[in-house]
Structure formats: C-alpha cells, structure tokens
Amino acid sequence: MRIVYFVVLLMITLSSCDIKGVETNSKDAEEVNYLENDTLSKVKETDTLKVSKVKVPEVASDTLKLENGITITYFKKGEGEKLKKGDMIKIDYRAKLENGKIYDGNHMVKKTSIPFLVGWNQQTPGWDIALKELRVGDDVDVFLPAKYARGEKGIKGIVPPNANNILSIRVLERFEPTVEVDDIQIWKYDELKSPGDSIGFKDEVYLNYWVSSESKPRYDNNYQRGETFKLVMGDGNIVPGLYKALHFGREGDRLMIKIPAKEAYGSEGLTDLVKPNEAIFYDIQIGKVIKTK
C-alpha cells in the first residue's frame, strides 16, 4: 500500500521546462525545446522558420557511477553543498521504465513540483542514495537497478517485477519551513485560493494523512482504512507536536510536519513503529473544520 499510495498521491504536473531524457506520448511532453533567441538572430531571416523547429540536442555533461550500480547522468549541474538527510526540497521528476514508459511524476496530478524529505524513505532506497549525491540546480537521469527501485514485487500492472528504473529529476530548491515552533517544522505547500477556517481549541477536524518515523516509513495512514480521520483539538488523542502544528493550518491546507521526539513519543517510543527518541513526519491534508460554538 505504501508504494501505491505514493504513486497516486505524490505525482505532479509537467512544468514549463521538460526534464531531460523523458519521453512520453502526452501532448505537453511532446513539445520540443527551440533554439534561443540570440541564436535565431544570427540566422538569415528567410531561414528563421526552418531553424525554429530544430530540437535542441540533449547532451550529458557528466556521469557518476556508484559501486551499487546506480548511475547518475548530469544534463545540468547545480552549485553548493550536496543534499543531506532531513533536507526538504522541491523536485520536478518522472519515473519511467527502460522502454521509456513513464509511470510516475508530478505532472500526473498537474503540479510543477513536489516537496520531498531527503533520507526518510519517502520512496524506494535508490531515491535517497541518489539524492544525497545531488545539489540544488542539478538536472539528471538516474539509473536504478531493480533492487533499488521496485524490486522483485514491482507494482502490479504498472512496474514489472525485477525492472530497472530511470528517474529524471530536477532539484529546484531547498524548501524552508513555513513555520517553526518548539523545534517542530511545518511546511505549507498547498492551500485553497480562499483559505478556510483556522483551527482552534475544541474544533472538530477531519484529516487525511500518512505518518513515518525515521526507521519505519508510513507506519500509519488513514487511506488504508478507507475513512477520514476525525479529531477534536485538545482531547489528547494526538501527539503534542501535531496539536501545536495544526493550529497553523486552515481548512483545505496541505501540510508536511516534522516533529522531534520530545513533542512525539519521547524516550519510550511507540511499540515497534517509533523507536525511543525518534522523530516522526506527517503529510496531512486538512479537510473539513467544524468550529466550536
């Protein structure tokens, strides 16, 4: 369920600039890149129409081969420090099979990018391995051997068993928290154009969510149960960090929330799901908020 959920929920729409190496049959992705204006100005006026339809070749600038078989092909290199565990970034990506079939990507839910928390097993192991080699501004194709992609199981009807994968990724930016309170980091990355009601004490709140610990990805989510999660603010049925974070949300918001152990399950942990002194991470869609009278 974790894999299928991510494919459905985290996919997003094609940005105005195609990622290198991606092939698809969609109308948007078939649009070609044209020569820059300064190049066209050097061409005879009579030839302009002809030249403007020439596709700019995709040329790899460098290749990094890791010992585990993962290969990173660079089309553009960024600058600065490499990404590290705990970095929240925005990426524009496509996941495809070796035959070029795209099965995942932010364009599929009409988003130009998605937020991604590095090092928290949000995707298959190969993602985090590759991302820790990248920098903001990198535009790459990543070859993932099957064991670092969808493995022996694949995804029924989508990714065959033991299939190698290719990721086309542009690392757009580091995404700084919108709010920080008591070491709780809150990122707001989607909201209604006309925000709904803010959340207060004793309000009735309906949520869709998944939650991970550092060691146990997506150990709980309401999607598996097939019903929206209901809570009443202040009733003590959620960890303190989530209670504090929700006060910064409104009806319709999409929030990502990283909660330190002291505001979660502390030194005791939670059975085999959250280790002692381990942080947790929520991805939440706030649905209806019913205000107290």
Side-chain angles (χ1 to χ4, degrees):
M1 289 296 297
R2 178 172 77 87
I3 293 171
V4 172
Y5 167 74
F6 187 87
V7 170
V8 172
L9 191 61
L10 289 186
M11 304 171 175
I12 353 189
T13 197
L14 199 62
S15 69
S16 59
C17 181
D18 288 342
I19 293 179
K20 308 293 188 297
V22 173
E23 297 175 6
T24 181
N25 291 326
S26 71
K27 181 178 179 181
D28 289 339
E30 286 178 346
E31 294 179 356
V32 298
N33 296 319
Y34 296 114
L35 297 178
E36 299 292 341
N37 290 334
D38 60 345
T39 302
L40 288 175
S41 66
K42 299 175 185 177
V43 182
K44 293 180 180 179
E45 187 173 345
T46 55
D47 293 334
T48 298
L49 182 59
K50 183 186 298 183
V51 173
S52 68
K53 294 183 179 180
V54 175
K55 185 177 179 181
V56 175
E58 297 170 351
V59 179
S61 62
D62 196 7
T63 299
L64 174 64
K65 295 182 179 181
L66 305 180
E67 292 183 359
N68 53 25
I70 294 175
T71 300
I72 303 173
T73 301
Y74 293 83
F75 295 96
K76 182 179 178 182
K77 283 196 170 185
E79 298 179 351
E81 298 178 353
K82 287 183 179 181
L83 303 177
K84 61 184 184 301
K85 182 178 180 179
D87 282 346
M88 181 72 76
I89 58 175
K90 288 184 179 181
I91 60 172
D92 181 10
Y93 82 99
R94 310 287 181 272
K96 62 183 179 180
L97 304 178
E98 288 185 286
N99 64 7
K101 179 183 177 182
I102 297 173
Y103 69 86
D104 189 7
N106 42 280
H107 64 297
M108 290 185 172
V109 289
K110 303 186 184 302
K111 296 291 184 181
T112 58
S113 66
I114 62 163
F116 191 95
L117 185 61
V118 178
W120 273 66
N121 303 300
Q122 280 197 263
Q123 259 282 7
T124 64
W127 281 68
D128 284 328
I129 294 171
L131 283 169
K132 289 176 185 178
E133 298 291 338
L134 302 184
R135 296 172 168 83
V136 172
D138 281 348
D139 183 352
V140 302
D141 275 0
V142 180
F143 174 81
L144 296 180
K147 68 177 181 179
Y148 293 107
R150 302 296 176 177
E152 295 180 356
K153 293 183 178 180
I155 304 176
K156 187 176 181 180
I158 300 175
V159 179
N162 299 309
N164 299 325
N165 278 204
I166 298 172
L167 305 177
S168 291
I169 299 178
R170 291 192 303 140
V171 183
L172 302 177
E173 61 177 297
R174 279 186 171 85
F175 186 17
E176 298 301 326
T178 308
V179 181
E180 291 189 61
V181 56
D182 295 337
D183 295 326
I184 302 162
Q185 295 178 302
I186 305 159
W187 294 267
K188 183 181 292 189
Y189 70 96
D190 215 354
E191 59 185 332
L192 297 176
K193 291 182 179 179
S194 299
D197 291 329
S198 58
I199 298 173
F201 182 63
K202 289 299 179 181
D203 286 351
E204 192 173 288
V205 183
Y206 292 82
L207 304 173
N208 288 310
Y209 76 93
W210 56 258
V211 57
S212 298
S213 62
E214 293 182 82
S215 60
K216 191 88 170 180
R218 289 176 178 75
Y219 66 78
D220 184 29
N221 74 77
N222 71 288
Y223 298 93
Q224 283 184 311
R225 296 188 291 276
E227 59 183 19
T228 303
F229 178 71
K230 172 188 171 183
L231 64 91
V232 176
M233 294 291 285
D235 277 7
N237 56 347
I238 55 176
V239 297
L242 182 57
Y243 173 77
K244 292 178 181 180
L246 286 174
H247 280 290
F248 293 94
R250 289 177 178 268
E251 185 176 280
D253 281 354
R254 187 71 174 272
L255 304 175
M256 298 182 102
I257 307 165
K258 186 178 177 184
I259 303 174
K262 66 179 182 178
E263 297 289 345
Y265 297 101
S267 58
E268 294 184 3
L270 177 66
T271 62
D272 62 339
L273 303 176
V274 182
K275 293 180 179 178
N277 300 309
E278 195 171 42
I280 59 175
F281 176 68
Y282 276 91
D283 187 317
I284 289 176
Q285 175 73 50
I286 301 175
K288 184 166 59 175
V289 176
I290 300 177
K291 305 296 292 182
T292 53
K293 301 294 185 182

